[in-house]
């Protein structure tokens, strides 16, 4: 059973501060998966809907699945606020998706997406389940939304990393599925599950958050018990501000789409 680290304040910071996907990314994803206004898409690890909601605007219907109820609560609210009414939200882990196939029948979806979430899941098992859920000719897209903000090759990012490592008392090296080895493993697992027509796409854009945006995004990546509160938060933010220097904090964000398609037969 997956232990979620996205509850409580993390979900709140995620909904408010975690960057979404620019329209160019959603359009490129739609083209790679051959989506149209009749398509049904399953978004696994949908979080607070950063990908699900803009995607839903281009298709017939989406099902957002996440193991963390707090994330789904914010996703649902964001969809209501955006006037998007064609998303259903399901509280389930990747391991429980077989139940969806039992409910809907096989091959009900035209595509499945996993946005910045596969490193929490068992990729080979998930792709095998998705083969039951996605129709022949359909596809699966594994999306990453830039490198962790404390692992970039910029002065402010190095300062952020040093600050976080000192605060948490541990080195921060995990690349959350964005590294070459993880991508290679995903690619192999996609092919082994029958999604063997593979395309790799990158869409780049530039962002420059101010301090509040940066720190909010950092909190959205921490576990609930490590997010400082009260006076501790004041100290955390004062030290961080001194370390990273003047805002803004420019970043070249590279969004990657690893898209595997099934044969049509
Ligand atoms: C980093 S967030 C990504 C959210 C969103 N897809 C995005 O692109 O911003 C990862 C999400 O995966 C969810 N998650 C983690 N393990 C999961 C699992 N085994 N099954 C389903 N969702 C899971 C978490 O609750 C969290 O909402």
């Amino acid at each position: 059973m997956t232990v979620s680290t996205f509850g409580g304040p993390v979900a709140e910071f995620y909904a408010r501060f975690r960057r979404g996907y620019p329209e160019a990314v959603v359009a490129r994803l739609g083209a790679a998966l051959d989506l149209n206004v009749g398509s049904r898409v399953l978004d696994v690890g949908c979080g607070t809907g950063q990908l699900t909601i803009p995607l839903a605007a281009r298709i017939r219907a989406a099902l957002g699945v996440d193991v963390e109820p707090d994330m789904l609560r914010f996703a649902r609210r964001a969809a209501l606020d955006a006037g998007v009414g064609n998303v259903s939200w399901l509280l389930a882990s990747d391991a429980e998706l077989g139940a969806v196939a039992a409910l809907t029948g096989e091959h009900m979806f035209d595509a499945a997406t996993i946005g910045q979430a596969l490193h929490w899941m068992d990729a080979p098992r998930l792709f095998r389940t998705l083969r039951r859920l996605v129709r022949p000719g359909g596809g699966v897209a594994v999306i990453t939304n830039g490198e962790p903000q404390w692992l970039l090759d910029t002065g402010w990012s190095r300062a952020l990393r040093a600050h976080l490592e000192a605060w948490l008392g541990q080195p921060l090296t995990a690349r959350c599925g964005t590294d070459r080895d993880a991508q290679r493993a995903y690619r192999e697992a996609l092919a082994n599950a029958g999604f063997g027509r593979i395309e790799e796409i990158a869409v780049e854009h530039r962002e420059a958050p101010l301090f509040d945006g940066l720190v909010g995004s950092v909190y959205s990546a921490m576990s609930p018990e490590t997010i400082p509160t009260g006076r501790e938060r004041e100290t955390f933010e004062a030290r961080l501000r001194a370390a990273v220097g003047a805002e803004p904090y420019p970043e070249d964000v590279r969004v990657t789409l690893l898209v595997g398609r099934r044969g049509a037969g």
Side-chain angles (χ1 to χ4, degrees), residues 2 6 14 21 45-47 66-68 71 92-94 115-117 120:
T2 310
F6 287 88
Y14 206 103
Y21 297 88
C46 62
D66 202 283
V67 77
E68 173 49 60
M71 294 293 266
S93 81
D94 64 315
Q116 201 48 71
W120 295 99

Side-chain angles (χ1 to χ4, degrees), residues 188-213:
E188 264 177 43
L190 274 173
N192 289 341
F195 296 96
R197 286 166 40 210
I198 293 185
E199 193 181 356
E200 288 178 53
I201 300 158
V203 184
E204 294 182 13
H205 63 104
R206 195 166 173 79
E207 283 197 345
L210 301 179
F211 185 79
D212 285 354

